[in-house]
Structure formats: C-alpha cells, structure tokens
Amino acid sequence: VKVPNILVIGAGHAGIEAASASARLGARVSLATLDLKTVGRMSCNPAIGGIAKGNLVAELDALGGVMGRAADACGIQFRVLNRSRGPAVWGLRAQEDRAAYARWMRKHLASLPGVVLREGMAVRLLVDGGQVRGALLADGSKVRADAVVITAGTFLNGLIHIGTNTRSGGRVDEPAATGLSESLRDLGLSLGRFKTGTPPRVLADSAALETLPSQHGDSAPLPFSLYTRCLARRQMPCHLTWTTPDLHDFLREHLPLSPLHSGQITGTGPRYCPSLEVKVTSFPGRERHPVFVEPEGRRSRELYLNGLSMSLPPPVQERIVRMLPGFEAAVISRWAYAIEYDMVFPDQITPTLQVRALPGLFLAGQINGTSGYEEAAAQGLLAGINAMKAVQGEEPVVLGRERAYMGILVDDLVRTRVREPYRMFTSRAEYRLQLGFRTARRRLLPLGRALGLMPDPVFQRAWAFEERVGSLVAEAEAFPVTPSKDMLDRLKQEPELRLEEATTLAGLYFRTRRPLASLAPLLGFPCRATAAAWSRAEEEILYAPYRARQEEEVERMKSLWKTPIPQALSFIDLPGLSREAMQRLTEARPRTIGEARVLPGMTPAALSALYVAVTLHAQGRKP
Amino acid sequence: VDTSSASSYLQRRDETIAAPATPPGRGALNLVRISGSLAIRAVERLIGKTLKERQWTLASLAEAGQATVAVFRAPHTYTGQDMAEITLFGNPLLTDRLMRRLATEGIRAAGPGEFTFRAFAAGKLDLSQAEAVQQIIEAANPVQLDRAMDGLRGVFSDRIRAFRGQVLEAFALVQAALEFPEEGLNIGEDQISDALLGLQEEAIRLREASARAERFQIFSLVIAGPPNAGKSTLFNTLLGKDRVIVSPEPGTTRDVVRETLWIQGFPLSLADTAGVFNNGNIINMMSNGKSLQALEDAWKILYIVDGSLPREGQIDKILEPYLKHKACVIANKTDLGLHPSWAGKGIPAVSAREGSGLDALWKMLEAWAGDIPDEYGDTPHLVSLRQEQALDGLLGALNRALAQLSEGGSLEIVAQHLQEGVRSIQDLTGEMAPEEVLDGIFSRFCIGK
C-alpha cells in the first residue's frame, strides 16, 4: 500500500493540527515553514480558550487534536469565565507560557515519525490535470504530495504598519510569504485583504503591578484535555488597568499619525477586537477602557497589554503606555503593530475545507478569513483528516451545526460571505445549550476513536466517565421523590425545598437548582459519585427538555436535507433563484437539498424555491 | 399570499394571465387586467393597431363592444411584467366574452391573488404589503379596507421594521451579556427584563390592534326587512347616491351590497340585504342565506317595514333575537300614509323616497356611532392570520423568557426562549441571522480586549 504524502504549508496552530492528525492517520507529512524556530508560535495574546473558543478546544481534544494538551501542559492560569451563568456558556480560558507552548508543540511534532519539518517558502502550487500535486519552494525544490494543506496565517503578502512606517512581514521581525497568493490567484481563486493588530509588550520590571488589581485563576482549575490528569499547581495572576480621559485626548491629538486614519490600511479588521484608535473614536462617550495585563510566561520578563492594540508610531505608543496607571515608568520591549494579509474568500471551499475548484488543495486557519488560535486549530484538524480521507477515497468528516462549534465554524465559512475576520461566538449556535464545553467528549469522543486519533486506553478512561454521568442522570430521573412521610421527615431541615407534588430527584434539581451532591444524600439517593460527575449530570438534567426539542428539529431538518435533487433538473431560470444561486448550483450540481444548502448564496428563500422545484419535478410537473 | 398557491404561481410565472379587476356584476364599468409577455401583443391584435405605452385608447372590440385600453411595459408595472388594462361596460357577459377571446391568445385566467403574487415575486411588494393587497381585495368593511391600505402604503411595514429593530436590540443585549462577561459592559438583569418587557408591550400592542380590526367587522349597519319595504331606496338615500338598482318589483336586490357610510367621521359598513320573506320561510332565493348571515354579523340593524301597510306579518320572527339589543324598526313609505297599526310605538317614520323624517334617523345613527369606543387610534394592524400567529409565537416565547428571568433562571435559557421567539416572527420580519445580532452588539458596546 502506498503511503500518502501530505504537504502542510505553515506551522502555526492550524498547520500543526493538520500535520499531526494526518501523520497519526498514516501519512508522510512535509511541514514547510519559513523559520523552524517559529513553529507553534502564538502571534497574539498568550492565552488559549475563552467563551466559545474554549469549547472549540475541548471539541478538538475529543477528536484527537493537540491544542488542549499543549494548553494544559503550558498553562500558567486557568479560569472558567461566565461561572455566574449556566454551564452551556461557561468558557474555559488559560493563560499560557508562550515559549513553553511553542516548545511543547515542537516536541510533539518531533515525536511523530511521519512528520518532516522543512524550512522554506512555498511560492507556487504544482497542478497536474486539475489536481494539486505539491508546491515549488523558493529555493527551487519541488515538494510532491497527494494533497496540500495551506495554513499560512497572516503571512500571505503580510504588510506591517507602525505609524507611517510600513514593511513587508508576516509577524514583527519575520518575513512575509510572497508568491503563493499570486499562484492562488492564477489558479482562479478570489482573494481579499484582512487586517489585525497586536498590542505593545513591556518589561515586567518596569511596571508597578503591585498597585493594580489582580485577577487570579480558579482554585480548582479544570483542564481542556482528557489526557490531562492534573494541572500545574502554581498559577500566575493577571492584572487590570484602565485607559484614562487624558490618554484618550492624547491619542485623539495624534490620530493623524495612525495608518488606520490616513487610509494607509485598507484591509478589514475585526470589530470584536478593535484597535485603541477605533475604541476611542467609535465610543467617544466612554471614559475608560480596560487593559488586561497578562504575563508572557513563568520566566518571561515581558507583559502583554491586552486591549491596547494600535498602529501609532513608537514615540506616541510610549507616551500612551506611560499614561496607564501602573505603567508610568514602563519600558516597551515590542511595539504594537497592525498587519494586513491576504485571505481566500472561504465560499470557495467545501465543507471538507477542500478548494471546490482545485481538488487536492485544502485551506485552514486565517487564510480562510478567520481569526483566533482555536478557530485555526479546529480547521487544521479537519483539513488534515479530510486531506487523508480524500487521498484514501474515504467519506470525509463534516460535523453538523447541532453537534459541535467546529461544525458551525465550517458551515458558516462555506455558506456566508465572510466580511471581517471570523471569530466564534456562542450566539452563532442554534443549539447553544447542548454545546457546553464539558459535553464535548460525549458529543465527539466516539468519532475521535473511530477516526483512529484516540489511543484506546485514553478513550476507555474518558468514556467510562461519560457513561457514569449517563447512568447518574438516568437514575436521578427514575428516583421518585414523593411527599411521603419519610421524605417529608428528611426534608424537615430544608424549608425551602417545598415538596407539593410527586417528582424525581432530577425534577427536584431542575426546579430548585440545589446541587445534586447535596440533594442526593438528603433524599436517600443510593448512588455515590465524584463532584465532577455530579456537576456534569446537573448540566445534562438542566438542558434535557431543550435537548429533546432540538433532536426533533434536527431530525426534521436532516430528512429534508436528504431530499435528492434529480439530475435532470435544470437550475437555469428556476423561479425564485438569484443569478448567482443558479450559477453556483449549475457548477456544483448538488445531489441533495443538504448539499445545495452549503453552497454560497443559498439563502433560506432560494433553498425553499429549490425545494418547490424538486417537489414539482418529482410529481412529473415542469417547474 | 397563500403559500400553497404561491409555489404553483411561482412555477407558472412565465404564463400570461388575465382577470377582471372589478367584482362581477357591479358598477357601470368593468376592468380586465393582463400580465405577462403576451399581454401587449394580444391586446394590439384585439384592436388591430399598435399602442403607445401608458395612454388610454378608445377602441371597439368585436367581442366586447366599446372599450378603453392601455398597455404598460415591464419592469415599471405592478407585477414587474408587461401589462395591459381593458375597461368595458359593466356587463358580466361582455367580460366573460373578452376572457374567452384572450384564452385563444394563450392567456389564462389568473388565480386568486396571482397578480399580487407576481408583484411580490418581482420584488415590487414586501410580504406584508402583498398580504395587504389580499386584504384590500377581501376587506369586508371600510375599516378593514383602510387598514389594508395602510399596509400597502408601507405604514405597516414601517411599524414592523421598527419592531424588528427593537427585537434585535433586545436579543443583542442578552447575547452581549452572555458573550462578553469580561468587558465591563454592566448589563444588569433589570436592563434585560426592561428590554423584554418593552418588547412584550409592543408585541401585545400589535396583536391587540389586530384583534380590534377583527372586531370592526361588527360595525356593520345592516338594512333588512320584508321584500319591497324600500330597503334599497333607503340605502341610496342614506348614501346620497344611487348605488343599488331599485324597482317596484319585490326581490330586486339579490345580494348583500355594501358601502361606506361616514357618520361623525366614523366609517360604518352599510349593507343592503335581500328581503327576508315571511316568517323565515325559505323562498327560492339563494341570497337569503347571505342576508341571514349579515343579520347575525351586524353591529346594528335597521329593520325597514312598509309603514303604509298593516304591521301584521311584517316583523319577521327571525328578527326577534335582535330586537332587544341591536335592531330598530323603521316605518318607511310614509308618503303613502302611515297605517294606524304603527302609531304610538315610538317607531321612527320616514319616507326614503321623499326624504322626510330622515333627521330623526340621522340623530339616532349619530348616537349609535358615538357609543363606539374610539379605541383603534392610529395603530397600524396586522393584516393576516399568519402574522398574528407569528406574534403569538413570540409572545409565548417572551412569557417563558420573562418567567425564567423572574425565577432566577440562567440567562442562557432566557436567551434560548428568546431565540425561539425571534425565529417564530421571521416570517413577519425577515430572517435575523446571528451576524445581524452581533452587528447590534458591536455597534452598541465597545467589545474587545
């Protein structure tokens, strides 16, 4: 049997997942990077996870991705955000030791016999008979492959802005990747230009952190990964400072020096991660904006000023930083900058992340117009898996929106026109209540194992816990709680637990939200369980009513999606369809309504028009 | 727009259709409209000459006599297609002949609402406007008609657009509180429940305006009575114009005819009915069923009797249930003398033909109109059942969300209910994609570390 060759271009979060997954699935992987020293580098803030993003990491982990393992191993502070809300919207977030994280990733890649790291810049794709077959590197060598995954991050024709100074680069002090964008354009792809930015970093010794309020990690931190048995004991605090009205005035005076205002930057930036210039000008009524002071690592001498991304000239940056309380004597170690880069509009890829018009070419990460480490890694894993599936002629992995944030991510990318860097939010989910980060294993572990990315002992241990939770829930739902004398006696000390009608343990929890761990012994429930299992059981019970409704809805939708589209049906001049939709349908020739749905430009209205036409066609009537 | 016919209309959009635009058998003139690619050519063939756009031309049609015709070219027409209009004398036979002639030109008769559907499909009307057109066609009374006209003019669309904005804003507020706990947005539960309550209030207002529109159906003033009591004469006299044909023959009026009668600025639906025969005996007149229904639906009934004839046998027993609360007996034809059996009973005596005794009748009508609570204000209303059901869906979801909130339930569950509510009104407001909700968040709050 021939061993498949996969070429991965770029060794950031997406590239590492793609390389690691395809190698573990049996491929020989060439992982090309501009600089071997930068493998696994976090370009922006030293943190993994957050609301919705933490769920992506947990899902990745259940499918055999590596981001969660690295984040657990190199984390210096762990926190569950949104604790005051229900578990569906909890967000696990970890501050990371930036250097340790990159080291962990390099080690991991080195541990995979199938992966060969290769320094060099891919400048042109090799295409043979319409199929992408590898890439030409700048040094003239050709890397042949059965499939190519591009995970170029911000490097494609990257342009860095600091004040009026612009220079080519993929990150500060790193060269940009040139040539590949032109190659993609030559092959007929449509490219756009996005923008992002990063804040300045300062020397820790120069800041008066002791004068600032601090933020600490959770006392009982939760890990991302099912591999992780225990987390490092010692956590590091973050600090909080605020911008001031004086600082805003100073910034406004110097706005003309910002490339954002001079028109020098043309790319589209993310609105959820605005630069300081945008914050101050768009929200003039706000007197202050928070700045999160994050340590860069256990032994790092630098601090990351999260919230202060800008592209002003260095002297202005320095004044601004020194106007922050606690940073009056700050020494800046790296300047903030804005960066513009090329991206490929993702309506040109299929839900397997393969370029529709170029079989053999997969795209993942920022090149698809997303932002964020977690979004990139999620795509990297899926691209790596699906590249292998494509080469081996097997069914690809496409996750439904109801099943995972990873599914929502890909579905959104391929179906909608991405106008700004795409970030995951829980409000993108139709079924948010079912996608809590702790449920990722129940949702995805069996698939991870079936794919072959999950060693059996690891799976068995994690799955045993899921089964334990399942049986706890079943027993709590079956355990009767009736207003009998015995039960009322037990509840005497708990006047708030009114018991007017017969219910179950699960029902009583649902009504009162009193922790199961305390209700169970009180009511004489015979099962013992760990705090973690009780807590997970609570989440299942809390959202069970919504889950039943969702499952019904999803079933209805899926059966609709299975409706076949007859090959004889012509999409041209089908009433109710836009020209664009007709063209897309004719090109893609979807076999089912579900396949048509994921084509770009298929609005709900267009889809129902198509459905009408298909139904009429089936009745032998001419549409 | 009925969805079941909508899909078939969608499929048959290339065919040319024609329909009489005025109700059959009424008025001096009938208008036939044609829409589709064959429209202009067919009309030109009919009259044997080419036509200038948007110009009324007098013509003589072999099948339908004298007519005026005009043609309108796509896309600046009601349906967005080529259109033609032919005005004929108001004889249903002529209309029928013209329709048959058009069929030989490959033009078929339109289904109900098909013109409107084409206008909607061509993007000329939004859904609520299209529905308003249907309502205009079907309006049973002038109040409904006015409301439907508001809908067509976009008043309703504006109101819904504003409501949609309000829904998005409330939804964005809840989502922002869930998505960005670290950004110091300070969104309190009070603020959220205020937003949801505001939404509930507006949804209830829209819903009630709609329910009121239904109630307006009963502000129908029905003229009833035995045959040949002069009901139609009174009808015409009250309206100040000859709306219905009157004749000394009993049973001339065979259908229920309605017109708007303005009293003190309040529009009533004045209905003339076919005579109800002695003691409810069904005589072979189809229209009696309709007359009986009109009585049942009436807000007030003017029961006209022939005052020159004896009382005996003129007050039909079917009237008895209405006499107490909504019917008033009027003795007509006093120009022929008042029969003694009517005297001393406080029954208004009029002569519709000569116009005598009408002052007292007007005073009575004004007093009635004054009793109608003026509660419909200027609130545009929902014009279709579908829209009402959509709002009911939202209201149910809002109730669940507010109940969660007041019971200290988690905000993500509140959001779930709200999301279901938002989905239930998408038919009314158009889709509200997550991206749009996020837009709302980013424009309102400074997000981002």
Side-chain angles (χ1 to χ4, degrees), chain A residues 104-225:
Chain A
W104 193 99
M105 285 300 187
R106 275 202 301 278
K107 254 200 225 159
H108 169 71
L109 290 173
S111 76
L112 299 170
V115 176
V116 178
L117 271 162
R118 176 158 194 165
E119 208 168 60
M121 179 160 74
V123 291
R124 191 156 58 81
L125 289 171
L126 304 175
V127 181
D128 183 8
Q131 173 95 17
V132 174
R133 290 285 184 203
L136 174 73
L137 302 191
D139 62 10
S141 58
K142 287 180 177 173
V143 183
R144 300 274 171 195
D146 301 300
V148 176
V149 185
I150 305 181
T151 59
T154 58
F155 279 72
L156 292 184
N157 286 337
L159 190 63
I160 289 174
H161 301 259
I162 303 180
T164 49
N165 180 339
T166 63
R167 58 171 179 272
S168 166
R171 269 186 298 241
V172 149
D173 300 331
E174 294 179 42
T178 51
L180 202 53
S181 293
E182 287 65 31
S183 177
L184 290 168
R185 254 193 213 102
D186 288 346
L187 290 168
L189 292 181
S190 151
L191 274 66
R193 202 132 169 91
F194 276 0
K195 174 242 150 190
T196 186
T198 183
R201 302 173 202 180
V202 300
L203 292 181
D205 305 345
S206 67
L209 292 182
E210 66 284 357
T211 64
L212 300 177
S214 55
Q215 277 185 331
H216 294 272
D218 291 341
S219 52
L222 293 175
F224 287 107
S225 177

Side-chain angles (χ1 to χ4, degrees), chain B residues 196-249:
Chain B
L196 296 189
L197 286 169
L199 212 54
Q200 191 183 38
E201 248 171 60
E202 178 63 11
I204 289 173
R205 261 201 297 271
L206 284 168
R207 185 68 183 80
E208 278 184 347
S210 150
R212 278 203 297 278
E214 277 167 20
R215 283 208 298 279
F216 286 140
Q217 289 187 359
I218 64 169
F219 296 139
S220 137
L221 180 61
V222 172
I223 299 179
N228 211 21
K231 297 183 292 296
S232 297
T233 307
L234 184 69
F235 183 82
N236 287 341
T237 304
L238 288 176
L239 289 170
K241 59 180 175 184
D242 286 342
R243 173 64 179 78
V244 278
I245 300 161
V246 291
S247 85
E249 282 295 306

Side-chain angles (χ1 to χ4, degrees), chain B residues 169-294:
Chain B
E169 200 173 307
F171 199 29
L173 190 71
V174 174
Q175 297 289 31
L178 288 169
E179 298 278 12
F180 306 104
E182 301 257 283
E183 325 271 354
L185 304 184
N186 297 320
I187 301 170
E189 309 251 308
D190 285 355
Q191 200 183 345
I192 289 171
S193 73
D194 283 353
L196 296 189
L197 286 169
L199 212 54
Q200 191 183 38
E201 248 171 60
E202 178 63 11
I204 289 173
R205 261 201 297 271
L206 284 168
R207 185 68 183 80
E208 278 184 347
S210 150
R212 278 203 297 278
E214 277 167 20
R215 283 208 298 279
F216 286 140
Q217 289 187 359
I218 64 169
F219 296 139
S220 137
L221 180 61
V222 172
I223 299 179
N228 211 21
K231 297 183 292 296
S232 297
T233 307
L234 184 69
F235 183 82
N236 287 341
T237 304
L238 288 176
L239 289 170
K241 59 180 175 184
D242 286 342
R243 173 64 179 78
V244 278
I245 300 161
V246 291
S247 85
E249 282 295 306
T252 306
T253 305
R254 294 178 170 243
D255 208 340
V256 178
V257 179
R258 286 178 185 276
E259 272 285 325
T260 307
L261 177 65
W262 293 87
I263 293 188
Q264 291 189 321
F266 194 92
L268 298 176
S269 173
L270 185 66
D272 187 16
T273 58
V276 174
F277 281 78
N278 289 346
N279 295 322
N281 291 332
I282 304 297
I283 311 297
N284 60 348
M285 291 194 69
M286 295 279 287
S287 55
N288 260 341
K290 282 188 187 168
S291 294
L292 294 175
Q293 187 60 47

Side-chain angles (χ1 to χ4, degrees), chain A residues 381-413:
Chain A
L381 180 77
L382 290 172
I385 293 170
N386 283 329
M388 272 304 274
K389 295 282 179 197
V391 172
Q392 295 173 325
E394 290 171 11
E395 273 297 296
V397 172
V398 178
L399 301 168
R401 296 183 72 92
E402 77 289 352
R403 196 163 176 202
Y405 280 101
M406 288 173 75
I408 294 169
L409 171 66
V410 173
D411 196 57
D412 279 347
L413 286 181

Side-chain angles (χ1 to χ4, degrees), chain A residues 82 307 427 432 543 553 616, chain B residues 11 178-179 412 423 449:
Chain A
N82 248 350
S427 47
R432 167 161 64 190
Y543 301 133
E553 239 179 75
L616 283 173
Chain B
Q11 302 308 317
L178 288 169
E179 298 278 12
E412 77 279 6
R423 234 187 312 166
K449 288 182 170 179

Side-chain angles (χ1 to χ4, degrees), chain B residues 25 48 61 131 141 187 242:
Chain B
L61 305 180
E131 285 176 336
N141 70 37
I187 301 170
D242 286 342

Side-chain angles (χ1 to χ4, degrees), chain A residues 252-264:
Chain A
R252 267 189 279 267
E253 277 167 38
H254 292 85
L255 269 181
L257 298 175
S258 165
L260 273 177
H261 280 256
S262 66
Q264 184 181 314

